[in-house]
């Protein structure tokens, strides 16, 4: 698999996990600047990752294996934390 797509997929996963924390609160009527900034940042991260995947030539993309590994590990931890929060937090 190309490193470009792995890199951008990890960034998109981080954006989605951040958005899953902020967007439901905004929809429920909670209004605060930190929630708004988190939702905008999460959406921007996902949009930027998709745009970068579509506009960058995978052959020209360079990132070290260490950076890629840290980013993928961070995405896994971010997703695991979001899933745990959704499971633990009572709905309603």
């Amino acid at each position: 698999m190309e490193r470009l797509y792995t890199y951008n997929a990890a960034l998109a996963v981080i954006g989605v996990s951040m958005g899953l924390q902020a967007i439901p609160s905004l929809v429920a009527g909670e209004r605060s600047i930190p929630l708004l900034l988190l939702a905008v940042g999460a959406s921007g991260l996902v949009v930027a990752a998709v745009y970068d995947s579509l506009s960058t030539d995978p052959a020209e993309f360079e990132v070290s294996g260490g950076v890629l590994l840290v980013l993928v590990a961070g995405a896994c931890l971010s997703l695991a934390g979001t899933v745990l929060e959704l499971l633990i937090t009572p709905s309603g």
Side-chain angles (χ1 to χ4, degrees):
M1 184 172 201
E2 296 285 340
R3 287 187 178 201
L4 170 69
Y5 301 123
T6 305
Y7 183 87
N8 286 326
L11 288 177
V13 166
I14 292 171
V16 167
S17 66
M18 287 176 11
L20 284 176
Q21 296 174 9
I23 293 174
S25 298
L26 288 172
V27 170
E30 270 185 66
R31 300 286 187 246
S32 69
I33 292 175
L35 276 178
L36 181 63
L37 290 175
L38 188 59
V40 169
S43 302
L45 193 56
V46 172
V47 168
V50 170
Y51 175 78
D52 195 35
S53 291
L54 296 175
S55 65
T56 304
D57 182 19
E60 294 179 5
F61 183 76
E62 291 183 22
V63 66
S64 70
V67 169
L68 189 62
L69 182 64
V70 168
L71 185 62
V72 169
C76 291
L77 288 174
S78 177
L79 189 60
T82 300
V83 168
L84 285 174
E85 181 181 352
L86 292 174
L87 291 175
I88 293 172
T89 305
S91 57

